[in-house]
Amino acid sequence: MIQNINDMLHGVSGLHTVNMIVPMGISFYTFQTMGYIIDVYRGKQSVEKNFFKLALFVSFFPQLVQGPISRFHDLSETLFSKHYFESNVVVSGLMRILWGYFKKVVIADRIITGVTTLIHSPSEYQGAYVFIAMLFYAFELYCDFTGGIDITIGIAEVMGIRVTENFNLPYFSKISKNIGTDGI
């Protein structure tokens, strides 16, 4: 992506640009930090005076790659508390990780091959095939994304950290009428 931007800038203005290395998960760092700042601004969260706790919250690795974006008050309860080994919690986390990989690798990766075949041959596949491709693609997106979320939540659970569930039945969710007042 950076090379595309560099090529565009060079073509338009003749500028020579420098290659940049962008940290993995930069959008999650950004959203995690924005959520914290907005909660502090609205008075829902007090300012965290310990820089290292705030840095741990912002950079909690399992959720940086896939999400979910957590609120400080939700994640800090388990992130900063003492953790003890509990075999049932580890087993539960490992099962969640396996379920996530099953959804991503077995279901989503298999469905996308059929969807790709249908999409790349529009002259061969029309009518009902287009509708089927649309349904399969929606199901593939769901399995791929929720599989990643399950892996993330499972990894956190193995470490004894509870991450808030925030992706429950997205295709059946209702739009909040109070988005401007109670959501980010």
Side-chain angles (χ1 to χ4, degrees):
M1 182 171 117
I2 291 173
Q3 184 61 42
N4 291 341
I5 294 170
N6 286 343
D7 291 342
M8 184 180 70
L9 288 174
H10 180 69
V12 171
S13 63
L15 292 175
H16 293 283
T17 55
V18 178
N19 288 331
M20 295 187 322
I21 297 174
V22 178
M24 182 172 75
I26 189 72
S27 63
F28 288 102
Y29 289 109
T30 304
F31 290 132
Q32 198 84 329
T33 305
M34 282 176 47
Y36 168 76
I37 291 169
I38 291 168
D39 281 348
V40 168
Y41 176 77
R42 290 181 177 171
K44 293 181 178 182
Q45 174 64 45
S46 60
V47 174
E48 177 56 58
K49 295 184 183 346
N50 185 329
F51 171 78
F52 296 105
K53 284 185 175 182
L54 181 60
L56 178 60
F57 165 73
V58 170
S59 64
F60 181 56
F61 182 76
Q63 64 187 30
L64 286 181
V65 179
Q66 182 80 30
I69 303 299
S70 296
R71 300 304 265 276
F72 186 83
H73 62 84
D74 292 333
L75 187 59
S76 65
E77 292 176 20
T78 60
L79 191 59
F80 305 138
S81 64
K82 289 189 178 206
H83 299 98
Y84 301 98
F85 178 80
E86 296 179 44
S87 61
N88 61 330
V89 172
V90 172
V91 168
S92 174
L94 291 173
M95 295 298 291
R96 184 85 184 247
I97 293 168
L98 286 174
W99 177 238
Y101 274 113
F102 178 80
K103 286 197 279 188
K104 284 183 78 64
V105 175
V106 175
I107 299 173
D109 288 354
R110 298 300 170 259
I111 290 175
I112 198 64
T113 57
V115 171
T116 304
T117 301
L118 293 171
I119 289 172
H120 287 291
S121 302
S123 61
E124 286 183 51
Y125 302 105
Q126 299 173 1
Y129 290 110
V130 174
F131 182 72
I132 290 169
M134 179 190 70
L135 291 177
F136 279 9
Y137 186 60
F139 190 62
E140 185 275 334
L141 284 175
Y142 176 81
C143 288
D144 189 53
F145 194 73
T146 60
I149 295 288
D150 286 337
I151 293 166
T152 298
I153 292 173
I155 290 170
E157 189 174 350
V158 166
M159 295 188 300
I161 298 167
R162 183 182 43 82
V163 177
T164 306
E165 298 275 349
N166 71 346
F167 196 74
N168 191 13
L169 302 172
Y171 289 135
F172 301 102
S173 64
K174 295 179 183 176
I175 296 175
S176 173
K177 293 178 183 177
N178 300 324
I179 290 214
T181 59
D182 68 313
I184 289 183

